[in-house]
Structures are given as structure tokens and as C-alpha cells.
């Protein structure tokens, strides 16, 4: 007989619950075992438009937005943080190399990051989008392979760009979408995108009429531009590589003096050593306390050339050209001078080399990525907008042993840059107009080269008319001359707040000197208001209509008409006059104003080939003036001819005399 203790009770209900739970779990396992895919999740089918696209399928999807500080009542001034996704999928038969997509942002967007791409023409984030939006180029995945070559691997066929930024002027309940999207690769035709509330899509197809210039190349064709960089990897190792950077000035009117080059490392690289150039800052602490120091723990960073993410690089002076350690490279060490080929072909190229160290996950010799966001600036030179690095066929180099075998680089990229026109009040030089038929000069524009201080002057006022001699003195000494000229010419009351100066280091005067039956002449004067001279200077003028057809000669400059730009006259200093000196003190520095460096020449034109030109009506003045590659700011108007007015005034006494004679004769008859 079993005696059951009162203190020991079997929890029958708990035991039953456990048995049910075990059976249920077993049944779940049995169900999973019958699934042929194991735990694989079934992928959603692509949209019909993507399935039917035989080319490149591009979509833009708006994600969300949040109101940003400061909160304001003005809707147009309120900032919103937004996120969106750009997707590019190669659904065609051909590999898409170096993909580029233009997103037509229209709400004054400021891009903070674009994970999976870089903004073309930007200097790094944040990037302000322009009127037409911005172009995004793929990085690090620049090339999109086909489904055939990858067995449908979307990681190689497609690229997704996570966009994060700020936008303005969007009502609370609306969905801020771009105007459009467009694939910018050559050889593709894109229809207008189909737009929905929160996304837009389009299918771009190969243009059957497009014929590539070179079908034998593996990568992209080399592009044409005003300036070109070539980034060649000469040798590659597991954790480092040797690179050469070549700068070519291609434009006949482009130029750089004392160039400063900068770019952005995207994968924590650093420059160990360099030949033919140098970096402005050498701070090993940026490596020691960064990811570089965490990986290379026993590395001596005190000898590293640059640890900066955005290094600033400059050319070496000529005296370093034969230095065994830093020089001895062709086309190096010219103190940053890049002349156009129209002046000197051997000075149109610059080269430097560097040793670059890499970090994980790029620790193999084939993991090579060029820096992004290239930007180069000069002294008084044009502004260049540069595109992203594009993979091109490896550059060939002559064999040092001179056997005749061409040695190719391990990998090569090209960065193409084009000259951009300066924005108002952002030029670096300016032009004034004058003419033989008027004694007042049309000065350079107010704040033509910018204005930092406008508290004591008017930055938006028109410049005051000046006598010709005022062009020879600095702006601060022109006020007295302007007031006296205003009084003599009875030009009206002077404003209480006078116009601000042009603030340009270089100014040019174009003076219409004569106009006769068979031709006409102009005199061009260059003024250097800075302290440093311009070595090997040049200037160019682009005339209106077909005025260039009548060009005859330049007398004190070395002038020629550019063959590829028939309306442009290119001028440089004669031998021994290639220096445009800086300003110097006057005869008596205590009372005389400073004197600018100055050179001038007369330019003659014939009317034989330009019979219908109106010289005094404006055709005798240039439509564009360039100094050392930089486009100078022109006045909005030119001197007006008063010849017709003077002839009418001169006729008035004769008319009065005839009228008086008629009245006297009439009175006689009475």
C-alpha cells in the first residue's frame, strides 16, 4: 500500500502543459522540415516595369522627412531633414561603366551624405544642389555588370544610394520629389520618368545610333575637357601602392599658377611619401589617433607625408628638380605653373608620384580605389569643376631600357575638369571701357571681385563715371577725382554712400581709339594692382559677331588669332616683356599714390571683311576678356556715342539763322 504524503503533490496541470508545448514544437519542426528551401525567405517579385526593361532601370524613392531647427513661420525658410533612395539596376546585355545619374532636386536641397555615390563637381559634403539638381556618380561600385555575367547577382548588377539631406520651402502635407531623374552615361536614351506620389522610375535603353569612338578598349573612353588628371597605379602590394598623378592643361585659354590640388580619401588611406610635390600639412597625430594607428600599431607615423583625409598638395619649386629624393621626375617642379599649349607645350603638363598605404578591408593588391572630390585652384586663374574618377584602360609608359616595349600601369583613372564661368561679384579681374568720342570712362563693376565690407560703401550701386587719368591711381585715391569730375560734368548730386571698389587685383582697360573708313583701332592696357608680378602672362579677347575676321595686328604684344576660335585674339608679352610687374610706390611715397604695373598695346582691325559692323554702337567692344585663363567681369554697358546729338546741336544755329533771314525778308515785303 502506497502512502501519499500530504506535503508532496504532483503538479498534474503543469506536466500536461509541458507535454502539449513539446508536441507543438515538434509539429513546428516537422513543418519546417517539409519546406524545400529550408529557412530561405522568398524574394518579392520585381515590379513589371523592371521586368520589362532591357537596359538600365532607375528609380528614386522618397522615404521620410522631419522638421529641423530653427522652427520658423515662413514656409519657404523652414528646413526639413529628408532621406531617400536612388536605385540603378543593369537589366540589359551590356555592362554599365562609371554610372552617373542626374537627380533634379528643386527644393534648395543640401546633401549631407550619399552612401553609395559621390556628388560630381562637389568639394565634399555638405553639397548645395544647383538649379538643375546634381549628378551622382557611383562609388565604390562604379560599374554595374549584367545578369548574364553574374548569374543574376544583384550585388554586382545594381547600386543603391542612400541620400540624406536638408530641403527648404516644402509645405507640411506635400511630398517633396525631384523634377526628374536621368541617366547621364553616353550611349543611352531615357524617356521622361513615370511619376508617382513617393517614387519615380524610368527605363533607359541603348541608343542604336550611338557609335563609340574606340571599341577595342576594356574600360571607359578617355574624356575631353579643359583640364585632365590621370591617376595611374604603377605598382601594387597587399597593403600599399605606388601612384603617379599627371595634370594636363588641354584648353588653349586655360592656365594655373601656383596650383593647389586637393581630394578626399574615402577608405582611410594615407600618403607615406611623395616626389615632385608636397603636402601643406604634416601632422602624424591624425594617423596615430585614427584608424590608421589602430591597424598599424608599430608604425612610425612621424615620417609620413600626410595623414589628412583632404590633403592640400602643391608643386615643388624649380630648384628641387634635380633633388634625388624629391625631384628627378619629368614635368615636375615648375612652382605650380601650367601654361596653355598655345604658349608652351612642355609647360602644359605636371607630374608627381606618391606611395599610398591602405587599410582593411582593402588588404589585397587588386583592391584599388582612387581618391574622390578632386579640386584644383590657382592664383588669378579660372575655376575648374571636376568630375569623379573614371576607370580607363591602363596608361602605357615607355620602357626605361629603351628596348621598345610599352609598360602599362596596373590600373588607371581619369578625372576631367572644365572651366566654369565666374558668378557675379566672384571674378578675379575686371574690365573698364572708354572711347575717343567721350571723355568719361565706364569703370569696372562695383564689387566685381567681391566685397567683404559694405558698411561704409554701397555694394550694389553703379560705379561713378571717371576721367581717364583716374584709371592710373588706386581706388582709394579716386574719390576726389570722381567728385571733381561729377562737378565739372554736371552729373547730378553725389550719393551719400559711394559705390564700393571693384576689389580686383588685375584690371584691364579697353579703349576704342579710332574709327575710320577702312578700319579702326583699340588700345588695351593691363594693370597689376598686386605686389607680385605675373610671369608669362597672357590675355585674350573674344569679339562680337564676325569682328575677328577683320583682325590685322597687335603692335606691342605678341598676338595671334586662335584657329579653333576665329573670333578670339590671343596675346602675350614680347620677348623680354613677359613680366607684368606689381605695383610700386609713387615718386614721393608720403604723398603720391602707388603706381600699378602696366603694359599696353594698340590692336588694329580692317573693315574689308566686316562691312556691316557698328563700331561705336558696341561692336568695337569685346564680349569676353580673359586674363591668365580667368574670365574678367565686363561692364553692363559701353560708352555711348554723342555724334548724332552733336550734329543736331551744330545744325541748330544754321536753322535759326535761316529762320531769322526768312522773317526779315517777309517783313521787308510787308
Amino acid at each position: 500500500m502506497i502512502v501519499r504524503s500530504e506535503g508532496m503533490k504532483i503538479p498534474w496541470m503543469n506536466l500536461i502543459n509541458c507535454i502539449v508545448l513539446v508536441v507543438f514544437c515538434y509539429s513546428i519542426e516537422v513543418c519546417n522540415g517539409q519546406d524545400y528551401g529550408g529557412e530561405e525567405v522568398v524574394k518579392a517579385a520585381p515590379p513589371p516595369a523592371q521586368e520589362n526593361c532591357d537596359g538600365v532601370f532607375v528609380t528614386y524613392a522618397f522615404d521620410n522627412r522631419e522638421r529641423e531647427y530653427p522652427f520658423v513661420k515662413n514656409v519657404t525658410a523652414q528646413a526639413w531633414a529628408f532621406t531617400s533612395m536612388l536605385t540603378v539596376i543593369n537589366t540589359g546585355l551590356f555592362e554599365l561603366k562609371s554610372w552617373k545619374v542626374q537627380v533634379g532636386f528643386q527644393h534648395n536641397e543640401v546633401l549631407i551624405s550619399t552612401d553609395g555615390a559621390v556628388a560630381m563637381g562637389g568639394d565634399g559634403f555638405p553639397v548645395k544642389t544647383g538649379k538643375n539638381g546634381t549628378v551622382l556618380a557611383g562609388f565604390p561600385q562604379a560599374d554595374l555588370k549584367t545578369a548574364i555575367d553574374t548569374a543574376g547577382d544583384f550585388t554586382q548588377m545594381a547600386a543603391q544610394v542612400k541620400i540624406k539631406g536638408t530641403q527648404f520651402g516644402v509645405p507640411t502635407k506635400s511630398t517633396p520629389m525631384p523634377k526628374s531623374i536621368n541617366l547621364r552615361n553616353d550611349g543611352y536614351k531615357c524617356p521622361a520618368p513615370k511619376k508617382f506620389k513617393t517614387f519615380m522610375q524610368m527605363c533607359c535603353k541603348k541608343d542604336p545610333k550611338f557609335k563609340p569612338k574606340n571599341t577595342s578598349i576594356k574600360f571607359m573612353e578617355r574624356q575631353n575637357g579643359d583640364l585632365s588628371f590621370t591617376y595611374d597605379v604603377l605598382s601594387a602590394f597587399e597593403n600599399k601602392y605606388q601612384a603617379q598623378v599627371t595634370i594636363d592643361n588641354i584648353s588653349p585659354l586655360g592656365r594655373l599658377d601656383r596650383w593647389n590640388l586637393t581630394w578626399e580619401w574615402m577608405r582611410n588611406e594615407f600618403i607615406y611619401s611623395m616626389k615632385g610635390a608636397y603636402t601643406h600639412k604634416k601632422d602624424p597625430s591624425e594617423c596615430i589617433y585614427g584608424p590608421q594607428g589602430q591597424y598599424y600599431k608599430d608604425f612610425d607615423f612621424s615620417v609620413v607625408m600626410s595623414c589628412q583625409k583632404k590633403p592640400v598638395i602643391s608643386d615643388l619649386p624649380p630648384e628641387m628638380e634635380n633633388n634625388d629624393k624629391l625631384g628627378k621626375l619629368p614635368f615636375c617642379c615648375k612652382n605650380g605653373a601650367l601654361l596653355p599649349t598655345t604658349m608652351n607645350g612642355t609647360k602644359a603638363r605636371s607630374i608627381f608620384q606618391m606611395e599610398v598605404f591602405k587599410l582593411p578591408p582593402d588588404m589585397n593588391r587588386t583592391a584599388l580605389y582612387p581618391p574622390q572630390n578632386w579640386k584644383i585652384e590657382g592664383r588669378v586663374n579660372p575655376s575648374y569643376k571636376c568630375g569623379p574618377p573614371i576607370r580607363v584602360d591602363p596608361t602605357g609608359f615607355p620602357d626605361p631600357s629603351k628596348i621598345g616595349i610599352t609598360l602599362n600601369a596596373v590600373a588607371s583613372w581619369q578625372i576631367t575638369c572644365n572651366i566654369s564661368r565666374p558668378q557675379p561679384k566672384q571674378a578675379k579681374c575686371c574690365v573698364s571701357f572708354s572711347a575717343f568720342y567721350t571723355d568719361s570712362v565706364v569703370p569696372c563693376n562695383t564689387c566685381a571681385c567681391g566685397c567683404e565690407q559694405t558698411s561704409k560703401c554701397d555694394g550694389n550701386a553703379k560705379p561713378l563715371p571717371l576721367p581717364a587719368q583716374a584709371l592710373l591711381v588706386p581706388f582709394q585715391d579716386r574719390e576726389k577725382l570722381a567728385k571733381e569730375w561729377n562737378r565739372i560734368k554736371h552729373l547730378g548730386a553725389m550719393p551719400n554712400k559711394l559705390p564700393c571698389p571693384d576689389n580686383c587685383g588685375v584690371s584691364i582697360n579697353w579703349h576704342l581709339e579710332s574709327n575710320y573708313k577702312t578700319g579702326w583701332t583699340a588700345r588695351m592696357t593691363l594693370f597689376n594692382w598686386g605686389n607680385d608680378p605675373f610671369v608669362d602672362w597672357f590675355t585674350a579677347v573674344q569679339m562680337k559677331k564676325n569682328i575677328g575676321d577683320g583682325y590685322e595686328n597687335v603692335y606691342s604684344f605678341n598676338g595671334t588669332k586662335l584657329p579653333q576660335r576665329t573670333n578670339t585674339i590671343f596675346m602675350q608679352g614680347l620677348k623680354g616683356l613677359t613680366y607684368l610687374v606689381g605695383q610700386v610706390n609713387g615718386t614721393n611715397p608720403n604723398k603720391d599714390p602707388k603706381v600699378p604695373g602696366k603694359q599696353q598695346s594698340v590692336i588694329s582691325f580692317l573693315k574689308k571683311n566686316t562691312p556691316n559692323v557698328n563700331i561705336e554702337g558696341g561692336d568695337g567692344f569685346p564680349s569676353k576678356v580673359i586674363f591668365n585663363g580667368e574670365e574678367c567681369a565686363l561692364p553692363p554697358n559701353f560708352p555711348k556715342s554723342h555724334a548724332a546729338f552733336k550734329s543736331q546741336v551744330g545744325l541748330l544755329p544754321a536753322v535759326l539763322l535761316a529762320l531769322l533771314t526768312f522773317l526779315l525778308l517777309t517783313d521787308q515785303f510787308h
Side-chain angles (χ1 to χ4, degrees):
M1 181 176 179
I2 300 174
V3 180
R4 185 174 63 184
S5 172
E6 293 292 327
M8 183 178 177
K9 294 182 178 180
I10 299 176
W12 293 104
M13 292 302 299
N14 291 345
L15 182 61
I16 293 171
N17 290 336
C18 289
I19 294 171
V20 171
L21 181 61
V22 170
V23 172
F24 179 72
C25 292
Y26 178 77
S27 66
I28 293 176
E29 287 184 3
V30 170
C31 291
N32 278 343
Q34 293 175 347
D35 189 353
Y36 292 105
E39 296 184 357
E40 183 180 353
V41 179
V42 178
K43 295 181 179 179
Q50 179 182 323
E51 284 190 327
N52 298 326
C53 180
D54 180 13
V56 178
F57 191 69
V58 185
T59 63
Y60 177 93
F62 176 78
D63 186 10
N64 62 65
R65 65 187 178 115
E66 294 181 1
R67 198 177 177 194
E68 282 184 348
Y69 290 110
F71 296 154
V72 295
K73 294 182 180 179
N74 185 358
V75 176
T76 59
Q78 179 60 56
W80 295 81
F82 77 97
T83 58
S84 59
M85 178 77 76
L86 175 71
T87 305
V88 185
I89 307 173
N90 186 0
T91 57
L93 297 174
F94 304 95
E95 182 178 0
L96 180 64
K97 300 175 182 178
S98 299
W99 68 263
K100 300 184 289 287
V101 172
Q102 181 175 13
V103 182
F105 293 112
Q106 57 178 335
H107 301 100
N108 298 318
E109 282 87 348
V110 178
L111 302 184
I112 308 303
S113 65
T114 54
D115 186 15
V118 293
M120 290 183 62
D123 304 328
F125 294 104
V127 174
K128 292 184 178 180
T129 61
K131 292 182 179 179
N132 298 320
T134 192
V135 178
L136 300 178
F139 181 85
Q141 189 174 354
D143 302 334
L144 302 181
K145 298 184 181 299
T146 67
I148 296 173
D149 293 336
T150 62
D153 184 359
F154 267 75
T155 61
Q156 301 182 64
M157 294 168 49
Q160 285 192 318
V161 182
K162 298 177 182 178
I163 302 172
K164 183 178 180 181
T166 302
Q167 53 192 195
F168 296 86
V170 183
T172 305
K173 295 183 179 180
S174 65
T175 302
M177 293 289 289
K179 289 181 182 179
S180 63
I181 51 176
N182 188 28
L183 184 69
R184 291 290 298 271
N185 290 66
D186 294 335
Y188 284 88
K189 294 183 68 175
C190 301
K194 292 183 179 179
K195 299 180 181 180
F196 303 89
K197 184 176 181 180
T198 59
F199 73 98
M200 60 176 65
Q201 63 186 29
M202 68 178 179
C203 175
C204 300
K205 296 185 178 181
K206 274 282 189 179
D207 184 358
K209 297 181 180 180
F210 178 78
K211 295 182 179 180
K213 296 178 182 179
N214 190 351
T215 58
S216 63
I217 59 176
K218 181 180 178 181
F219 298 98
M220 291 284 289
E221 293 183 28
R222 295 185 183 250
Q223 307 294 307
N224 295 322
D226 294 321
L227 189 79
S228 176
F229 295 94
T230 306
Y231 192 85
D232 293 309
V233 175
L234 304 180
S235 59
F237 305 92
E238 182 179 344
N239 67 328
K240 63 180 181 179
Y241 63 87
Q242 188 80 13
Q244 176 172 289
V245 178
T246 304
I247 314 172
D248 286 306
N249 184 14
I250 302 170
S251 171
L253 297 176
R255 180 185 175 130
L256 284 167
D257 293 283
R258 301 179 188 175
W259 54 259
N260 289 326
L261 168 65
T262 184
W263 59 53
E264 184 175 3
W265 294 113
M266 308 299 285
R267 306 178 75 84
N268 296 317
E269 300 97 331
F270 62 92
I271 303 172
Y272 180 76
S273 62
M274 187 175 282
K275 290 183 68 175
Y278 69 97
T279 58
H280 286 213
K281 186 178 180 182
K282 183 179 179 180
D283 185 3
S285 64
E286 296 186 35
C287 278
I288 294 172
Y289 297 105
Q292 300 89 347
Q294 295 176 10
Y295 182 76
Y296 294 103
K297 295 182 179 180
D298 298 326
F299 203 87
D300 182 10
F301 288 103
S302 64
V303 297
V304 169
M305 172 65 75
S306 174
C307 291
Q308 288 184 287
K309 184 179 179 67
K310 296 182 179 180
V312 180
I313 302 167
S314 293
D315 193 14
L316 289 173
E319 52 265 27
M320 303 297 291
E321 184 176 0
N322 294 318
N323 186 285
D324 292 332
K325 186 177 180 181
L326 301 176
K328 289 196 172 180
L329 278 177
F331 304 104
C332 89
C333 313
K334 298 192 294 288
N335 206 26
L338 271 175
L339 303 183
T341 53
T342 46
M343 292 185 70
N344 191 327
T346 61
K347 292 186 178 180
R349 168 174 285 190
S350 187
I351 285 179
F352 65 89
Q353 294 179 354
M354 58 185 180
E355 188 176 18
V356 180
F357 273 74
K358 305 183 295 181
L359 267 70
D362 302 331
M363 303 306 284
N364 66 74
R365 64 178 63 220
T366 60
L368 301 169
Y369 299 95
Q372 302 288 319
N373 299 324
W374 291 59
K375 183 180 180 181
I376 192 165
E377 294 178 333
R379 184 183 166 198
V380 180
N381 300 128
S383 298
Y384 291 91
K385 288 292 183 181
C386 301
I390 294 175
R391 185 78 179 267
V392 294
D393 277 10
T395 304
F397 299 97
D399 184 8
S401 63
K402 299 181 181 180
I403 298 176
I405 302 173
T406 301
L407 302 178
N408 288 338
V410 176
S412 298
W413 287 264
Q414 185 196 24
I415 299 91
T416 305
C417 309
N418 287 301
I419 295 173
S420 60
R421 193 169 189 177
Q423 298 296 318
K425 300 185 178 183
Q426 293 183 14
K428 298 173 185 174
C429 54
C430 65
V431 179
S432 61
F433 288 155
S434 57
F436 66 89
Y437 50 77
T438 179
D439 44 11
S440 287
V441 174
V442 180
C444 286
N445 296 335
T446 301
C447 299
C449 298
C451 277
E452 295 182 359
Q453 296 292 336
T454 57
S455 57
K456 297 182 179 180
C457 61
D458 191 343
N460 297 314
K462 292 182 178 179
L464 299 175
L466 297 172
Q469 64 269 24
L471 297 178
L472 299 172
V473 298
F475 187 88
Q476 58 269 23
D477 298 303
R478 295 180 186 176
E479 182 177 335
K480 185 177 179 181
L481 293 171
K483 289 181 178 179
E484 183 63 18
W485 191 249
N486 184 82
R487 185 188 65 79
I488 294 173
K489 294 295 179 179
H490 307 288
L491 300 176
M494 293 283 287
N496 294 327
K497 202 173 184 180
L498 296 179
C500 293
D502 55 67
N503 294 318
C504 294
V506 174
S507 63
I508 298 173
N509 174 247
W510 180 272
H511 177 73
L512 192 57
E513 193 165 66
S514 67
N515 184 19
Y516 48 94
K517 185 177 181 180
T518 59
W520 58 282
T521 60
R523 185 177 69 247
M524 190 177 196
T525 308
L526 313 178
F527 298 97
N528 181 6
W529 300 100
N531 297 321
D532 297 328
F534 288 96
V535 184
D536 295 325
W537 61 268
F538 79 83
T539 185
V541 291
Q542 179 178 305
M543 304 304 296
K544 302 172 184 176
K545 298 181 179 177
N546 60 337
I547 298 293
D549 295 338
Y551 164 72
E552 182 185 23
N553 199 8
V554 177
Y555 296 92
S556 300
F557 297 157
N558 186 2
T560 183
K561 188 168 64 172
L562 293 182
Q564 60 270 52
R565 306 186 185 192
T566 55
N567 231 22
T568 301
I569 303 166
F570 183 89
M571 292 167 279
Q572 57 183 312
L574 295 171
K575 189 175 182 180
L577 298 173
T578 57
Y579 273 68
L580 179 59
V581 299
Q583 68 175 359
V584 295
N585 291 325
T587 306
N588 188 344
N590 295 325
K591 64 176 184 178
D592 294 335
K594 289 189 174 184
V595 180
K598 178 170 67 75
Q599 286 197 38
Q600 65 178 4
S601 178
V602 172
I603 310 168
S604 62
F605 298 83
L606 298 175
K607 293 182 179 178
K608 179 180 179 181
N609 298 322
T610 56
N612 298 320
V613 297
N614 184 357
I615 302 303
E616 297 177 20
D619 293 342
F621 295 92
S623 59
K624 183 184 290 186
V625 176
I626 291 173
F627 179 81
N628 277 7
E630 169 74 2
E631 184 176 344
C632 303
L634 295 179
N637 50 15
F638 49 85
K640 301 296 184 182
S641 174
H642 301 291
F645 173 76
K646 288 179 180 179
S647 64
Q648 292 173 5
V649 172
L651 186 64
L652 184 61
V655 173
L656 291 175
L657 180 61
L659 180 62
L660 181 61
T661 304
F662 174 76
L663 292 174
L664 288 174
L665 289 173
T666 306
D667 187 57
Q668 248 182 354
F669 287 123
H670 288 289

